[in-house]
């Protein structure tokens, strides 16, 4: 397994997340769904080690996470996180995608091959020389994902990556996520408000409500045969969110 959370909780003024146990297996696409304020982004940030949990144990590939900051940074280098509106650097599209590879010390030829292939894959090869701050929202988000996966992380975390996009760009990004998962074996955890989107791309779905994982299981089961009435209400659109 890739990641295991045991007894993880997060308290701010009040407890916003409580996970008894969550296991993420390598090679799958996970969809995290749930109403606004349920704790989806908090869970993603804990997985990414951006937010320290208030208590509990975190395992990455069988190793429990030490308090030591250096080792935490090493683990973080296996993951990439993309938000709803990811800021690109004020540089060319090409340099944005190359950034993580340069930072990790890849050679020039390797960088050129990977960046060109990724720009081709996201359909933006023609825009390689353009300044990133002149891109449309959909183009920018495609570049943000290309930049995030250039170094082929083990884990790609996405927090509502298509929330503001039109259907054409949503389709492109969903296709991209599926291809990255199936050809590069990148494990994906995607938060989405959209249950239809989760159904389209996730193998496993995790439903969070008021800080608790109410139900998790194969996507087909969660959508056609949910065990918990709250899951049923949410996937059938009866829960207000
Ligand atoms: N830094 C913080 N300080 C205090 N409370 C916080 C903080 N971050 C999140 N919260 C609270 O934790 C709860 C869960 O927030 P979170 O952002 O995880 O929800 P979410 O499921 O991602 O919601 P949305 O769908 O609206 O993005 C919310 O009540 C939120 O106000
Ligand atoms: Mg959120």
């Amino acid at each position: 397994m890739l990641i295991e959370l045991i007894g993880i909780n997060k308290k701010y003024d009040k407890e916003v997340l409580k996970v008894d146990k969550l296991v993420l297996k390598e090679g799958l696409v996970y969809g995290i769904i749930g109403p606004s304020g349920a704790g989806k982004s908090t869970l993603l940030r804990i997985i990414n080690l951006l937010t320290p949990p208030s208590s509990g144990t975190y395992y990455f590939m069988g190793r429990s996470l030490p308090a030591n900051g250096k080792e935490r940074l090493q683990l973080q280098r296996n993951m990439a996180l993309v938000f709803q509106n990811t800021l690109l650097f004020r540089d060319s599209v090409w340099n944005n995608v190359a950034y993580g590879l340069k930072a990790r010390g890849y050679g020039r030829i390797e960088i050129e091959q990977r960046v060109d292939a990724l720009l081709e894959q996201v359909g933006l090869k023609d825009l390689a020389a353009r300044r990133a701050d002149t891109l449309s929202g959909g183009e920018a988000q495609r570049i943000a994902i290309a930049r995030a996966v250039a170094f082929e992380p083990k884990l790609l975390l996405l927090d509502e990556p298509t929330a503001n996009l039109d259907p054409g760009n949503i389709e492109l990004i969903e296709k991209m996520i599926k291809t990255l998962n199936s050809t590069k074996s990148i494990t994906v955890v995607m938060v989405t408000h959209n249950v239809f989107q989760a159904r389209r791309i996730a193998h496993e779905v995790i439903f969070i409500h008021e800080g608790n994982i109410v139900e998790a299981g194969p996507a087909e089961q969660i959508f056609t045969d949910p065990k918990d009435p709250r899951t049923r209400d949410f996937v059938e659109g009866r829960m207000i969110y």
Side-chain angles (χ1 to χ4, degrees):
M1 64 193 69
L2 190 61
I3 283 178
E4 196 172 353
L5 306 182
I6 307 282
I8 290 271
N9 91 332
K10 183 68 191 175
K11 285 197 179 86
Y12 290 110
D13 309 333
K14 59 183 178 74
E15 187 175 65
V16 300
L17 188 71
K18 185 172 174 296
V19 177
D20 294 335
K21 183 173 168 146
L22 177 67
V23 171
L24 302 177
K25 287 183 272 183
E26 216 169 331
L28 296 184
V29 177
Y30 290 88
I32 299 181
I33 58 171
S36 183
K40 303 181 298 296
S41 296
T42 304
L43 175 59
L44 209 66
R45 292 172 63 87
I46 287 175
I47 293 174
N48 191 232
L49 308 171
L50 273 176
T51 297
S54 305
S55 65
T57 320
Y58 180 113
Y59 295 93
F60 190 89
M61 298 180 85
R63 284 194 309 163
S64 77
L65 183 70
N68 170 342
K70 196 172 149 211
E71 229 171 310
R72 200 189 71 213
L73 270 176
Q74 275 174 358
L75 291 187
Q76 252 173 342
R77 286 170 72 104
N78 294 292
M79 315 182 210
L81 177 58
V82 175
F83 301 99
Q84 189 172 323
N85 292 309
T86 305
L87 277 181
L88 296 172
F89 307 120
R90 301 187 63 176
D91 200 336
S92 71
V93 164
W94 202 94
N95 280 337
N96 264 274
V97 180
Y99 176 81
L101 297 169
K102 285 184 186 164
R104 283 171 174 78
Y106 284 76
R108 189 177 57 84
I109 293 173
E110 173 87 23
I111 293 178
E112 282 177 5
Q113 283 171 349
R114 286 205 193 192
V115 174
D116 290 344
L118 274 164
L119 288 176
E120 179 91 54
Q121 194 188 339
V122 299
L124 296 176
K125 210 167 181 185
D126 295 347
L127 302 187
R130 270 270 287 283
R131 277 180 62 97
D133 53 5
T134 66
L135 297 177
S136 75
E139 289 162 351
Q141 200 62 340
R142 278 145 67 193
I143 292 300
I145 296 176
R147 181 180 66 180
V149 300
F151 69 94
E152 298 185 5
K154 286 204 106 43
L155 181 62
L156 174 63
L157 302 163
L158 302 162
D159 198 347
E160 306 200 31
T162 64
N164 292 326
L165 305 183
D166 64 288
N169 273 299
I170 292 176
E171 197 185 334
L172 273 167
I173 286 179
E174 289 181 0
K175 213 183 260 174
M176 209 174 144
I177 294 167
K178 280 187 188 169
T179 307
L180 286 164
N181 171 255
S182 59
T183 64
K184 310 268 188 216
S185 309
I186 296 177
T187 306
V188 178
V189 180
M190 175 160 94
V191 169
T192 175
H193 263 107
N194 186 330
V195 293
F196 300 105
Q197 179 166 60
R199 193 169 189 170
R200 283 194 296 271
I201 76 164
H203 301 116
E204 296 271 325
V205 169
I206 298 159
F207 171 58
I208 304 188
H209 182 241
E210 295 178 349
N212 295 294
I213 296 182
V214 170
E215 196 165 345
E220 214 32 49
Q221 180 252 309
I222 297 287
F223 291 112
T224 59
D225 185 25
K227 304 294 178 219
D228 192 285
R230 289 166 294 178
T231 315
R232 183 174 296 276
D233 281 350
F234 189 77
V235 301
E236 291 179 2
R238 282 190 304 277
M239 190 183 279
I240 310 296
Y241 65 96

